[in-house]
């Protein structure tokens, strides 16, 4: 019976952790500057915009992984 | 037609459209409690995406968030960070919660937790129900007060505060009463599109009108007040406070009952995951709103605002040279953010009051589904009215209640995660952790200052988790299942 909450594969868990650490101390320390400005935004602000996108990409991959697994299960 | 009259007309027209969409949705609805509360567990991708997005982004997005950028600068980015990171927790637990909800007929958060940790007379369920409602009513009041404030400022007083908040509150109560989650779904779709469109337009147009573009604006800010653009910002928020605020808000987000309960409403686990994949993109809504706050730093240099929350209104209504019809649409977009959240809060609080609190009253024990549905709908009206009256009284004084009650709700997270993933999770451990975590959070929130300036709730969570784990390890357990798994093998 499929009653266990299935954790995503370890690689994705690590990826999610990196996304989180990038947005707080200590990860965000490296981005704490104004230059270079990217798409009109100061670098620190751009950093957050970019990591939100990285998170989105990670979720797309996780979703595709899950979908493939469901097919295998059937 | 005078400007404020035109703004009023456009906004009232928008409210009428929302009302019509919300009332029309009642035709799609089955007449069961499950239909009213969880859309019959049959909500699809598009509607669920906007329900979740629009309920999370509240009046705070248009008032508080630009206010943070204006008064503090870079620390305001914590809002984008936590709202995006919240999705990780959902991804890990929501599909499973949805599955168990379907199997066991759960409709509230308290029902889930009290099934995992049974107590005599279901005291845990009552406790969660009461504390959740205590957190949600102030939150609802703030949305309604926000709507009144927006109305009054944008129409230059043509619609006074009491009338503006009454209009917004009345429209919300009417469609939630009539159409339940279906009504919330279709109106949130409309309101979600509206708020995203308005936010981006206002952000880009404001930067363009005053500075000739976003890049130019930030260049000027870099020359005039560079401290706003990096940590610790103008107010001096430390990395510890910033990081722990992000963590506790991202982790705690799932514990808001109006978010948690949406997991039950998804058509399938796959739908739920699709919603989560797209969700981080919704948080980009904050980028243009923060840009407006940053613009305020430069534009209001010589006449600083008393209340930072008014920065967007001041720029858009008073300083910028927007035509009146555009201000009407902008006001509608900001109202959309407040109303879409208010609708979910009223709907969820009423459900909790009837399902979790009401069942403890002798008269309501074992009432029929039909009667519970009727009571829930009346509950929506009563709660909306109560929140409206509180908004007239003094919404500012409710912030303490909101922080305190929500601070306790967040402390339910370790026991929830334990129930899902840990076979050694014990009831004694869960309650010990909850009690100590909640007490510590309240102490830090209202009394003692926290070590290193960390977030009060974060300190509570850390201690809560440590106590939960150690007590559970000491308590004897021979189960090979976690509490939630044991539930599903029984069911």
């Amino acid at each position: 019976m499929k009653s266990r909450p299935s954790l995503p594969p370890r690689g994705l868990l690590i990826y999610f952790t990196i996304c989180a650490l990038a947005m707080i101390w200590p990860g965000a320390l490296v981005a704490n500057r104004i230059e270079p400005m990217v798409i009109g935004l100061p670098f620190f602000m751009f950093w957050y915009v970019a990591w939100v996108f990285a998170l989105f990409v990670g979720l797309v991959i996780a979703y595709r992984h899950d979908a493939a697994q469901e097919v295998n299960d059937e | 037609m005078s400007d404020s009259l035109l703004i009023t007309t456009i906004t009232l027209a928008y409210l009428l459209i929302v009302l019509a969409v919300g009332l029309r949705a009642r035709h799609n609805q089955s007449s069961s409690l499950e239909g009213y509360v969880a859309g019959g567990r049959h909500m699809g991708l598009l509607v669920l995406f906007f329900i979740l997005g629009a309920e999370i982004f509240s009046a705070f997005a248009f008032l508080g968030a630009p206010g943070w950028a204006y008064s503090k600068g870079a620390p305001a980015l914590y809002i984008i960070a936590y709202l995006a990171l919240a999705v990780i927790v959902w991804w890990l637990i929501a599909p499973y919660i949805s599955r168990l909800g379907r199997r066991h007929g759960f409709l509230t958060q308290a029902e889930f937790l009290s099934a995992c940790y049974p107590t005599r007379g279901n005291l845990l369920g009552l406790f969660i129900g009461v504390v959740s409602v205590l957190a949600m009513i102030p939150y609802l009041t703030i949305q309604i007060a926000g709507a009144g404030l927006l109305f009054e400022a944008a129409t230059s007083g043509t619609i006074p505060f009491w009338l503006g908040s009454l209009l917004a509150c009345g429209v919300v109560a009417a469609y939630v009463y009539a159409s339940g989650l279906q009504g919330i779904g279709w109106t949130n779709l409309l309101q979600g599109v509206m708020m995203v469109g308005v936010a981006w337009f206002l952000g880009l147009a404001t930067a363009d009108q005053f500075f000739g573009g976003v890049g130019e604006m930030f260049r000027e800010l870099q020359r005039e007040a560079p401290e706003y653009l990096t940590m610790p910002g103008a107010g001096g928020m430390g990395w510890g406070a910033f990081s722990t605020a992000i963590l506790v808000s991202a982790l705690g987000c799932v514990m808001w009952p109006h978010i948690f309960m949406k997991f039950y409403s998804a058509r399938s686990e796959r739908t739920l995951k699709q919603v989560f994949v797209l969700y981080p993109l919704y948080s980009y809504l904050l980028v243009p709103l923060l840009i407006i706050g940053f613009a305020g730093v430069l534009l209001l240099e010589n006449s600083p605002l008393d209340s930072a929350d008014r920065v967007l209104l001041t720029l858009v209504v008073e300083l910028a040279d927007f035509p009146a019809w555009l201000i009407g649409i902008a006001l509608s977009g900001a109202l959309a953010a407040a109303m879409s959240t208010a609708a979910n809060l009223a709907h969820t609080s009423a459900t909790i009051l009837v399902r979790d609190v009401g069942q403890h009253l002798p008269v309501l024990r074992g009432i029929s589904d039909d009667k519970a549905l009727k009571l829930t709908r009346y509950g929506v009206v009563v709660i909306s009215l109560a929140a409206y009256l509180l908004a007239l009284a003094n919404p500012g004084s409710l912030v303490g209640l909101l922080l305190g009650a929500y601070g306790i709700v967040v402390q339910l997270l370790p026991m929830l995660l334990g129930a899902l993933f840990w076979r050694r999770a014990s009831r004694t451990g869960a309650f010990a952790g909850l009690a100590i975590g909640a007490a510590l959070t309240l102490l830090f929130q209202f009394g003692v200052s926290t070590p290193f300036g960390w977030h009060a709730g974060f300190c509570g969570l850390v201690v809560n988790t440590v106590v939960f784990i150690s007590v559970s390890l000491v308590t004897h357990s021979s189960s090979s299942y976690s509490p939630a798994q044991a539930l599903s093998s029984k069911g």
Side-chain angles (χ1 to χ4, degrees):
Chain A
M1 187 171 64
K2 280 175 59 186
S3 64
R4 254 163 41 83
S6 47
L7 280 176
R10 179 169 302 173
L12 273 166
L13 284 180
I14 295 174
Y15 185 83
F16 285 154
T17 312
I18 293 173
C19 288
L21 287 177
M23 295 199 211
I24 60 173
W25 184 91
L29 281 176
V30 300
N32 196 21
R33 49 204 165 92
I34 301 175
E35 297 286 352
M37 288 204 185
V38 190
I39 52 168
L41 302 177
F43 191 76
F44 191 60
M45 189 164 176
F46 169 74
W47 178 261
Y48 283 84
V49 172
W51 278 101
V52 169
F53 194 77
L55 185 59
F56 166 68
V57 172
L59 289 165
V60 171
I61 295 169
Y63 180 79
R64 293 179 59 116
H65 173 89
D66 281 7
Q69 199 152 54
E70 271 169 39
V71 171
N72 285 341
D73 283 351
E74 275 160 16
Chain B
M1 206 191 287
S2 84
D3 277 3
S4 59
L5 205 60
L6 182 62
I7 296 170
T8 312
T9 314
I10 288 176
T11 315
L12 290 181
Y14 175 71
L15 288 186
L16 276 179
I17 296 172
V18 171
L19 185 63
V21 169
L23 292 180
R24 228 186 124 247
R26 75 184 184 281
H27 300 305
N28 302 334
Q29 200 200 187
S30 68
S31 57
S32 68
L33 184 66
E34 193 177 66
Y36 185 81
V37 171
R41 305 187 197 274
H42 215 81
M43 303 304 266
L45 169 63
L46 183 70
V47 170
L48 198 55
F49 173 72
F50 278 102
I51 290 185
L52 209 58
E55 77 177 350
I56 288 172
F57 292 85
S58 63
F60 179 79
F62 280 79
L63 300 171
W68 265 69
Y70 166 68
S71 60
K72 299 185 171 67
L77 289 165
Y78 106 88
I79 307 164
I80 295 187
Y82 97 76
L83 286 169
L85 289 174
V87 78
I88 297 177
V89 187
W90 304 346
W91 184 271
L92 297 180
I93 68 174
Y96 191 56
I97 289 170
S98 166
R99 192 186 313 165
L100 288 178
R102 192 179 298 274
R103 192 174 298 162
H104 299 278
F106 298 140
L107 287 176
T108 68
Q109 186 178 40
E111 282 167 354
F112 185 91
L113 279 169
S114 43
C116 294
Y117 300 102
T119 42
R120 190 144 30 109
N122 193 10
L123 278 181
L124 178 66
L126 177 66
F127 172 76
I128 298 175
V130 170
V131 180
S132 314
V133 171
L134 283 181
M136 295 175 83
I137 288 183
Y139 195 10
L140 175 59
T141 303
I142 289 167
Q143 304 310 314
I144 292 172
L149 179 81
L150 286 162
F151 247 120
E152 188 173 66
T155 63
S156 319
T158 307
I159 304 275
F161 177 83
W162 70 267
L163 184 59
S165 40
L166 182 64
L167 284 169
C169 180
V171 167
V172 164
Y175 72 73
V176 177
Y177 172 82
S179 315
L181 193 63
Q182 292 289 349
I184 292 176
W186 291 105
T187 48
N188 269 24
L189 176 65
L190 172 68
Q191 313 239 52
V193 172
M194 188 77 183
M195 65 202 257
V196 171
V198 163
W200 277 102
F201 176 80
L202 286 183
L204 298 180
T206 305
D208 195 61
Q209 192 172 104
F210 291 105
F211 307 97
V214 174
E216 287 76 3
M217 181 196 90
F218 279 118
R219 287 262 172 248
E220 193 170 330
L221 197 55
Q222 185 185 17
R223 284 192 297 272
E224 303 286 325
E227 68 276 14
Y228 279 87
L229 297 179
T230 50
M231 287 292 288
M237 187 182 197
W239 280 103
F242 178 75
S243 305
T244 52
I246 291 175
L247 285 177
V248 78
S249 313
L251 290 169
C253 193
V254 74
M255 298 315 290
W256 270 118
H258 59 289
I259 295 172
F260 186 99
M261 283 164 59
K262 295 303 176 306
F263 302 159
Y264 296 139
S265 66
R267 177 186 294 161
S268 68
E269 290 167 42
R270 182 178 286 235
T271 307
L272 211 47
K273 285 185 174 167
Q274 289 165 343
V275 171
F276 297 159
V277 169
L278 295 176
Y279 168 80
L281 301 180
Y282 207 101
S283 62
Y284 282 145
L285 165 70
L286 285 164
V287 172
L289 297 172
L290 295 183
I291 287 175
I292 293 179
F294 283 119
V297 175
L298 291 166
L299 296 172
L300 300 169
E301 209 171 5
N302 300 321
S303 51
L305 296 172
D306 296 331
S307 154
D309 289 355
R310 299 187 76 103
V311 61
L312 181 137
L313 281 169
T314 308
L315 257 56
V316 170
V317 179
E318 291 169 28
L319 295 184
D321 190 21
F322 290 133
W325 60 269
L326 203 65
I327 296 179
I329 293 177
L331 169 62
S332 308
L335 278 178
M339 288 166 56
S340 53
T341 307
N344 285 285
L345 290 167
H347 181 250
T348 306
S349 317
T351 309
I352 292 176
L353 268 186
V354 173
R355 294 274 290 194
D356 298 329
V357 182
Q359 55 138 345
H360 287 265
L361 304 172
V363 265
L364 293 183
R365 200 161 290 158
I367 52 167
S368 68
D369 202 63
D370 261 4
K371 197 149 170 238
L373 170 60
K374 213 177 262 172
L375 277 176
T376 308
R377 298 173 71 172
Y378 294 148
V380 168
V381 177
V382 172
I383 286 168
S384 309
L385 189 68
Y388 171 65
L389 294 175
L390 286 169
L392 292 185
N394 181 10
S397 61
L398 290 169
V399 173
L401 179 60
L402 172 65
L403 289 178
Y406 179 58
I408 297 175
V409 175
V410 171
Q411 299 302 319
L412 296 165
L413 181 69
M415 69 155 75
L416 173 71
L417 294 179
L420 291 170
F421 295 112
W422 196 35
R423 62 178 189 82
R424 291 295 306 262
S426 84
R427 214 178 60 172
T428 325
F431 291 164
L434 170 65
I436 293 173
L440 210 61
T441 304
L442 292 181
L443 184 72
F444 283 138
Q445 203 113 59
F446 300 110
V448 196
S449 59
T450 53
F452 323 113
W454 284 8
H455 192 285
F458 185 79
C459 302
L461 269 187
V462 170
V463 177
N464 179 338
T465 310
V466 171
V467 172
F468 176 34
I469 292 178
S470 22
V471 175
S472 290
L473 286 177
V474 175
T475 340
H476 177 74
S477 157
S478 56
S479 172
S480 51
Y481 294 115
S482 74
Q485 271 177 274
L487 203 64
S488 54
S489 57
K490 259 184 283 171

